[in-house]
Amino acid sequence: MSIALRRRSFLQGVAAAGGAAGLSTLGITRAFAEEPEKPKELIVRAWGGSWVDALKAGVSDSFTAKTGIAIRHDLTEDNEIQPKVWAAVAQKRVPPIHINWDTTTNATKSALRGVTEDLSDLSNLKNTTDLAKPVGLDGYPIVNTYGYVYVLAYRPAAFPDGPPKSWKDLLDPKFKGRIALYNDGIGFHFPAQVAGGGKLEDIPANMQPAWDFITKIKQQQPLLGEDPDFTTWFQKGEIDAACTISTNAREAKKNGIDIAWVVPEEGAKFDTDGLWIPKGLPENELYWAKEYINHALTVEAQQIWLDGLGLPGVVPGVKPPEDLVNDPSYPTKEEDFKHLIRISSKVQVENESEWFSKFKAIMQG
């Protein structure tokens, strides 16, 4: 099952924060001069549950209100849509979607394959932070729209002396059988590199420190699963700590689970999601697909969209939700990134399969 979709699967059916109130006041910054013909609809691939609810409330509904173009959200799994898009471009057919909402790592695979449209001409890019630019790629084959952190989520009752300060704290014998990781180790490889005594600049050439630390963690008999599993385990009191995306931890807390989260001293993986357009669209549809992404880069659209996700955007002026002000999982200033680990998407694409396989081999050994 696709990594990107799994990260969000437990949020299915959870309503996004915010709503459609005030949508009519949202504007699209670029005037539509000499507009080409409008299509009846644009198809945007998205994740379900509160993720698509947030996108609809913040971006899609206001775009429709301004342009009259309907937005259809295609919830096809990203691992299913990817080969369909690739095949359509290779065969010079019209792709099955206009816009893909994707993890930057997955989107980078498409960019390196040459199937993405260049988005460098979007007028609102000039108003974005450096976070909007994909690392390790030329130009803007993808536009990153927000970031997220793989935090150390924990049950406060299990840490009476205060929040954990290090990933090494998970090696305490009392946590044997009571910690959880994603079953491929995603989000954990990079901080494990530091916790194991290695350097981030040695990634990917020398990852042995990471594998050594993960081997120590393996002796703790961690539970391996996905977000729905983590939620269940925390709710039942079966685990005390987990490496998970900040959005998921926040949603779990909002759903009544006693949970908190930190960015340990070794750091935590920071990643991004973005929007991209496959090649092969009719010229007028390409124009309006670009306008949709351009609209997603306005303060008004990002504020509502990302309030629903609890994630930092790429446009200055977007305010964090009250519960995330000064939260380390919601970086807004340069110094906030000091303990966050951001590795080139190209490096991740080239090595991720090997890393996942190595992690699984250690855990199964």
Side-chain angles (χ1 to χ4, degrees):
M1 191 173 180
S2 91
I3 294 163
L5 185 67
R6 294 179 314 177
R7 294 295 166 267
R8 295 137 174 96
S9 58
F10 94 113
L11 299 179
Q12 298 292 324
V14 179
L23 286 174
S24 61
T25 65
L26 300 186
I28 295 177
T29 57
R30 181 160 60 172
F32 295 138
E34 301 179 5
E35 299 171 351
E37 180 184 358
K38 294 179 180 179
K40 291 183 178 180
E41 69 173 10
L42 292 176
I43 303 171
V44 181
R45 197 216 70 85
W47 293 288
S50 65
W51 292 81
V52 70
D53 289 344
L55 180 71
K56 182 177 184 296
V59 185
S60 299
D61 283 351
S62 51
F63 179 83
T64 298
K66 195 69 177 179
T67 66
I69 300 172
I71 300 298
R72 174 153 57 97
H73 299 107
D74 184 330
L75 305 185
T76 302
E77 293 181 15
D78 52 349
N79 63 327
E80 291 183 12
I81 205 73
Q82 187 181 71
K84 293 178 180 179
V85 170
W86 289 0
V89 175
Q91 297 165 11
K92 300 187 182 305
R93 293 185 287 105
V94 176
I97 57 174
H98 294 92
I99 300 153
N100 199 358
W101 182 17
D102 210 352
T103 67
T104 300
T105 301
N106 275 351
T108 297
K109 295 177 184 178
S110 294
L112 294 174
R113 198 178 183 92
V115 304
T116 61
E117 290 282 0
D118 178 39
L119 302 175
S120 300
D121 60 344
L122 297 185
S123 61
N124 287 335
L125 280 175
K126 68 180 183 297
N127 303 320
T128 61
T129 66
D130 291 343
L131 191 61
K133 178 75 173 68
V135 178
L137 295 174
D138 295 329
Y140 284 87
I142 313 154
V143 172
N144 294 332
T145 48
Y146 56 80
Y148 52 93
V149 180
Y150 287 84
V151 295
L152 172 53
Y154 67 96
R155 203 165 54 85
F159 294 85
D161 297 329
K165 298 179 180 179
S166 168
W167 292 100
K168 297 176 186 177
D169 292 345
L170 300 181
L171 298 177
D172 190 315
K174 71 179 181 180
F175 296 126
K176 189 170 186 177
R178 297 193 58 80
I179 60 177
L181 302 171
Y182 290 114
N183 55 25
D184 50 21
I186 193 168
F188 193 62
H189 306 121
F190 304 153
Q193 172 80 353
V194 181
K199 299 178 180 179
L200 293 175
E201 51 264 37
D202 289 338
I203 298 173
N206 178 19
M207 296 279 287
Q208 193 56 46
W211 311 134
D212 291 344
F213 184 72
I214 289 170
T215 298
K216 292 180 180 178
I217 288 289
K218 195 261 184 183
Q219 303 307 313
Q220 291 289 74
Q221 299 176 2
L223 279 66
L224 304 178
E226 302 300 340
D227 294 311
D229 302 316
F230 297 168
T231 305
T232 299
W233 293 334
F234 268 122
Q235 199 153 20
K236 292 184 176 180
E238 295 177 354
I239 59 172
D240 296 320
C243 175
T244 185
I245 288 177
S246 56
T247 297
N248 298 336
R250 181 174 180 249
E251 286 292 335
K253 185 175 182 178
K254 287 167 63 177
N255 287 338
I257 299 175
D258 183 23
I259 190 174
W261 54 90
V262 295
V263 172
E265 60 189 14
E266 296 89 357
K269 183 186 180 186
F270 179 86
D271 224 331
T272 54
D273 289 344
L275 298 171
W276 61 275
I277 299 172
K279 290 182 176 179
L281 294 176
E283 187 174 348
N284 68 312
E285 294 179 18
L286 172 59
Y287 175 92
W288 289 105
K290 284 187 173 183
E291 289 298 341
Y292 180 92
I293 296 179
N294 206 46
H295 177 52
L297 298 178
T298 61
V299 173
E300 296 87 354
Q302 289 231 321
Q303 187 67 67
I304 294 177
W305 180 18
L306 300 179
D307 269 357
L309 300 178
L311 297 174
V314 298
V315 181
V318 176
K319 299 178 180 178
E322 289 185 7
D323 63 311
L324 293 177
V325 174
N326 297 321
D327 191 297
S329 71
Y330 195 105
T332 57
K333 304 180 294 295
E334 185 176 348
E335 55 265 32
D336 295 338
F337 286 88
K338 289 181 179 178
H339 289 296
L340 299 180
I341 303 169
R342 192 179 182 197
I343 301 296
S344 160
S345 297
K346 186 172 184 290
V347 170
Q348 293 189 60
V349 166
E350 292 171 345
N351 296 276
E352 209 169 53
S353 294
E354 180 182 342
W355 294 341
F356 292 167
S357 296
K358 181 67 174 179
F359 178 87
K360 291 178 180 178
I362 292 173
M363 290 299 165
Q364 293 169 3

